Amino acid sequence: MNFRINILDRYIMRKFLGTFLVALLLIIVIVIIFDISEKIDDFVDNEVSLKEIVVDYYLNFIPYFINMFSPLFVFITVIFFTSKLAGNSEIVAMLSGGLSFSRLMYPYFLSAFVIFLMSLTLNLFVIPRANAVRLDFEQKYIRWSKFHNTARNVHYQIAPGEFVYVESFSTWNNTAYRFSLESIRESRLVSKLTAESAAWDSVAGRWKLKNYTLRDYSTSDQKIVSGKSLDTTISLRIEDFYRSKSSAQSFTYRQLEDLIAMQKMRGDTMVKYSLIEKNTRYAVPFSAFILTMIGVALSSKKRRGGIGLNLGIGLALSFSYILFLRFSQMFVITDTLPPAVALWLPNLIYAVIAAVLYRMAPK
């Protein structure tokens, strides 16, 4: 099989990528219009400047939106322009001229590879930084009145053998109440530090304990030290209490890996959402190949009635894929499946569908 890019390959790739970009641009404009109409009251009430709306929010919202619905855009693009090629008998002419169906897929997969690289680059390098600004904007101007503290009965292993417990944490004054720090060596309690409260000192970057008691069990005689105030530095920062389910979206690849390692060490239940974010960043770009194969197999045959039926089938399958991808996250949250299995399961199932349709497609 000759893999040199010829005139026909460039023609199909130009149709594929051109239609993809046009569809992307049109959908983004429509979504932004609807989003503005939904959030205009928040913008006015909080007196948000036009620069903040455009630069801080919407310029950072666009990459996030592209990534979320890229499978839908790829599928609709392939269905749309391939159906037009089939309707104009262009595909019949290609196959009749000696071009195999496998060779016909070559420019499609090259185009899918370009989209794969674009999506992967957005996921690993662009979107995390954009999400950091976007989420901060939403917290400040859109969700400000809805934020409330839910940090209660927090247990963390902040370092090997060091365990922190906080009964409650107040976001109003950055203070943890009923604080305790236990040090354990070789399954033996070495020391325990308790305090009525621990307030975060943003200037010094450490916690200030009030009404504390330190019990030292390292010797045969228990030593007890207490006092009104004590400054302490531990591997627990104020950001740990402000992380939400969407916080991992603003972490770069290396930061996300460090966060997952730290959360696993601490036994933090939020690690599920970090693992979901990590696996989604790779699973979604890879879907470009699978959905391209399904789209070509479905729309390469000329049908009566034009492209309407193909678009209907394409929309149904693409929406079902996106729904399945979101639903598979519940398998992780409920501990039904490991994150790597749950998030790649939609790709695996649709890859089987793609293989079946490819065998049934006209040769």
Side-chain angles (χ1 to χ4, degrees):
M1 186 182 294
N2 182 13
F3 290 104
R4 290 186 61 183
I5 299 177
N6 54 38
I7 296 176
L8 182 59
D9 295 331
R10 288 194 290 270
Y11 172 72
I12 293 177
M13 291 176 65
R14 187 168 62 250
K15 287 280 188 179
F16 191 155
L17 296 176
T19 306
F20 176 78
L21 292 175
V22 170
L24 205 60
L25 180 61
L26 290 175
I27 296 296
I28 287 173
V29 171
I30 293 172
V31 168
I32 289 177
I33 291 173
F34 278 100
D35 192 72
I36 290 176
S37 64
E38 180 184 352
K39 296 183 173 66
I40 188 66
D41 291 338
D42 292 315
F43 296 155
V44 173
D45 293 342
N46 291 286
E47 299 180 353
V48 188
S49 67
L50 181 61
K51 177 180 176 296
E52 288 179 296
I53 295 173
V54 175
V55 177
D56 294 345
Y57 185 61
Y58 282 110
L59 285 184
N60 293 296
F61 171 82
I62 290 174
Y64 170 77
F65 178 80
I66 292 173
N67 173 66
M68 181 183 296
F69 291 102
S70 62
L72 175 63
F73 296 142
V74 170
F75 213 16
I76 291 178
T77 297
V78 173
I79 290 286
F80 180 76
F81 90 86
T82 306
S83 295
K84 290 191 67 176
L85 292 179
N88 295 331
S89 300
E90 293 180 68
I91 291 182
V92 173
M94 296 174 193
L95 298 177
S96 299
L99 186 69
S100 68
F101 193 76
S102 299
R103 183 58 179 82
L104 177 64
M105 291 294 302
Y106 180 60
Y108 282 94
F109 276 115
L110 286 179
S111 302
F113 183 69
V114 172
I115 295 173
F116 166 80
L117 289 180
M118 181 195 72
S119 181
L120 191 63
T121 302
L122 286 175
N123 273 340
L124 297 182
F125 304 106
V126 178
I127 292 177
R129 293 181 174 86
N131 279 342
V133 180
R134 179 181 63 84
L135 292 173
D136 182 67
F137 180 94
E138 289 180 351
Q139 188 65 60
K140 185 177 180 181
Y141 295 118
I142 299 173
R143 300 174 182 171
W144 61 274
S145 60
K146 302 176 183 178
F147 183 81
H148 60 280
N149 173 42
T150 56
R152 298 190 64 85
N153 297 319
V154 177
H155 296 263
Y156 280 149
Q157 179 179 235
I158 59 173
E162 293 188 1
F163 299 86
V164 163
Y165 168 75
V166 172
E167 183 179 282
S168 62
F169 178 79
S170 173
T171 56
W172 300 108
N173 54 6
N174 290 335
T175 301
Y177 295 96
R178 299 291 186 270
F179 171 91
S180 71
L181 172 64
E182 295 181 348
S183 297
I184 299 176
R185 300 289 182 271
E186 298 179 353
S187 302
R188 178 173 174 268
L189 182 63
V190 177
S191 65
K192 183 173 183 178
L193 174 63
T194 59
E196 182 181 294
S197 65
W200 176 254
D201 187 342
S202 58
V203 177
R206 57 191 177 187
W207 297 93
K208 188 171 185 179
L209 309 184
K210 292 184 179 179
N211 297 328
Y212 72 93
T213 300
L214 174 61
R215 292 178 171 84
D216 187 355
Y217 302 101
S218 59
T219 60
S220 56
D221 297 330
Q222 180 185 149
K223 297 179 181 179
I224 302 177
V225 179
S226 60
K228 293 291 185 181
S229 179
L230 175 68
D231 289 343
T232 182
T233 303
I234 59 176
S235 300
L236 182 71
R237 300 187 65 81
I238 192 67
E239 293 86 358
D240 296 325
F241 291 100
Y242 281 89
R243 290 199 180 102
S244 63
K245 298 176 182 179
S246 59
S247 295
Q249 296 177 6
S250 61
F251 283 70
T252 63
Y253 171 77
R254 293 190 179 277
Q255 291 173 335
L256 187 60
E257 290 289 341
D258 293 339
L259 175 64
I260 291 172
M262 181 186 68
Q263 289 176 328
K264 285 183 176 179
M265 184 269 294
R266 290 180 173 181
D268 192 345
T269 56
M270 297 291 285
V271 70
K272 298 177 183 179
Y273 301 98
S274 300
L275 290 170
I276 287 173
E277 177 65 21
K278 175 185 175 180
N279 285 277
T280 301
R281 290 184 183 184
Y282 292 98
V284 171
F286 191 79
S287 67
F289 298 106
I290 299 171
L291 298 180
T292 295
M293 180 180 289
I294 295 177
V296 175
L298 282 175
S299 56
S300 58
K301 185 177 181 180
K302 188 174 182 179
R303 301 177 185 273
R304 291 183 178 180
I307 66 175
L309 179 61
N310 288 339
L311 280 176
I313 297 174
L315 284 171
L317 281 174
S318 57
F319 276 118
S320 66
Y321 172 82
I322 295 173
L323 182 63
F324 192 7
L325 186 64
R326 300 301 169 187
F327 185 75
S328 64
Q329 298 178 5
M330 297 303 300
F331 295 143
V332 182
I333 297 172
T334 57
D335 293 322
T336 304
L337 291 173
V341 176
L343 273 303
W344 282 89
L345 186 60
N347 281 348
L348 178 62
I349 292 176
Y350 278 76
V352 173
I353 296 174
V356 173
L357 292 174
Y358 177 78
R359 291 182 63 89
M360 295 171 59
K363 298 295 188 281

